[in-house]
Amino acid sequence: MVWRIHFSEDDLARIQVSPTMGPLTETVLAAALLRSPQQPRTLLSVWRGQVRVTPRMRPLTALLPPGCHGVDLPTLTGEKATIQQGLQALLDVPREHLLVEMEYTERWHRLSALAWAMAEADRRPALADATQAAYHELVQPFWPRIHACLHAEQATRRRTLAREGPGALLASLQGARIRWRPPVLEILMPGNVAMELGGRGLALVPSVFVGKDPSLHENPNYMDEMPRLVLPAADAGGARLWATRQGGSALAALFGRNRAAVLQSIADGCTTTELAGRVGISLAAASQHASVLRGAGLIITRRQGGAVLHVLTPLGAELLQAG
């Protein structure tokens, strides 16, 4: 069974690459992931060993029945940069819009009375409180690294889009479950779905917690809104992503030398070869500088074809701005 997303020339021209839908979306997906029997227990095992679902999260988990992503709260709240903005958006979702998504989920997965109660205005604060509790337990300790990981994914895809075009970008997504057969993107998933984008384009969004399968999101309340295809982030399984503390030895090595020029050169993303050319150093020296910056948590390195691409983490960007 296959999802088929049909692209026109206008759709290809409107493809967007987003870094993340924000911490609220990752929180909802993280809670759903923990409750899904379809997701292998080995997936994100280091993270799983550090977190747990608590009773305080029940108003949220009631909307996420096991076996699915649950009620599509991420689409209802949209892209929000902070958890506070996401929680406010959750409080502001119109009752009738939430009911539409709940009725869609109910077709395949029965929702409890507690879940249906969350649509009411007087119960919405309980849902926001549960979501905040889930964020603090499941996402907040790791959010700086998650954020950096997702921005690195965005930088890699944007580079492909800018240099090679939308067809090459969609072709770069190909794997065991995704095939690009112009003008159709096929995703091997349960059920048959045919989506005509109709000139709306498509936003590609990486996620750490979406699980092993992509997730397609369309807003039934605003049918002219651009759909989103949420894709598993390539680096989600890395153990470093789930470390809650960072040692000081790498930072000491960094501040023992002046690497401002190297950090500045990585500001818009570059390969090791490009870094060497920009700074006027050898490939070996560029690789060594990148290694120290990476160890200090200031850059993330991603493989792109036969090369590696270096991009700043939020910490690296803040340091550069402060300098």
Side-chain angles (χ1 to χ4, degrees), residues 264-318:
Q264 179 68 57
S265 296
I266 298 175
D268 60 348
C270 66
T271 65
T272 305
T273 300
E274 290 168 341
L275 176 61
R278 291 177 183 183
V279 185
I281 55 179
S282 68
L283 277 173
S287 180
Q288 180 188 17
H289 283 302
S291 178
V292 173
L293 293 171
R294 186 168 54 251
L298 301 179
I299 69 170
I300 281 182
T301 300
R302 297 287 311 283
R303 182 158 295 281
Q304 186 182 51
V308 292
L309 179 68
H310 309 294
V311 295
L312 296 181
T313 66
L315 176 61
E318 290 175 10

Side-chain angles (χ1 to χ4, degrees), residues 27-245:
T27 298
V28 173
L29 293 176
L33 180 69
L34 287 174
R35 291 169 55 79
S36 176
Q38 283 82 17
Q39 300 291 346
R41 296 290 301 174
T42 54
L43 184 67
L44 305 186
S45 59
V46 177
W47 168 73
R48 287 175 185 267
Q50 300 181 64
V51 301
R52 63 191 180 95
V53 175
T54 66
R56 187 180 166 193
M57 303 176 195
R58 284 190 64 238
L60 172 63
T61 57
L63 293 170
L64 309 172
C68 69
H69 289 304
V71 178
D72 195 355
L73 299 177
T75 291
L76 291 171
T77 56
E79 294 184 11
K80 296 294 181 287
T82 68
I83 189 62
Q84 290 78 17
Q85 292 171 354
L87 293 172
Q88 187 59 54
L90 189 59
L91 290 170
D92 293 340
V93 171
R95 176 179 182 272
E96 59 273 19
H97 290 187
L98 181 52
L99 287 174
V100 167
E101 289 289 0
M102 293 175 71
E103 288 163 1
Y104 181 82
T105 302
E106 176 84 2
R107 295 180 193 177
W108 293 277
H109 300 274
R110 184 172 180 81
L111 295 174
S112 67
L114 175 61
W116 289 103
M118 292 304 108
E120 305 305 324
D122 63 339
R123 299 301 301 276
R124 202 68 66 80
L127 176 58
D129 180 75
T131 305
Q132 185 167 41
Y135 169 70
H136 285 314
E137 171 68 19
L138 307 180
V139 176
Q140 186 181 35
F142 318 101
W143 180 245
R145 286 186 175 83
I146 291 173
H147 191 253
C149 170
L150 299 179
H151 272 267
E153 191 97 3
Q154 179 201 35
T156 301
R157 290 179 181 155
R158 278 190 173 175
R159 186 181 179 92
T160 300
L161 179 62
R163 294 193 170 197
E164 303 176 49
L169 173 62
L170 294 173
S172 73
L173 304 179
Q174 292 189 135
R177 297 178 181 274
I178 300 180
R179 298 179 300 215
W180 171 234
R181 296 184 174 178
V184 179
L185 186 68
E186 297 182 345
I187 305 173
L188 304 180
M189 293 290 289
N192 290 310
V193 174
M195 175 182 284
E196 296 284 349
L197 295 174
R200 295 174 296 171
L202 183 71
L204 304 179
V205 186
S207 169
V208 165
F209 295 113
V210 71
K212 59 184 177 64
D213 299 320
S215 180
L216 185 59
H217 298 255
E218 185 176 34
N219 193 338
N221 300 292
Y222 300 104
M223 292 306 296
D224 58 344
E225 184 177 293
M226 179 180 287
R228 297 179 178 90
L229 180 61
V230 180
L231 299 159
D235 293 336
R240 176 177 166 78
L241 192 63
W242 309 114
T244 56
R245 295 184 179 179

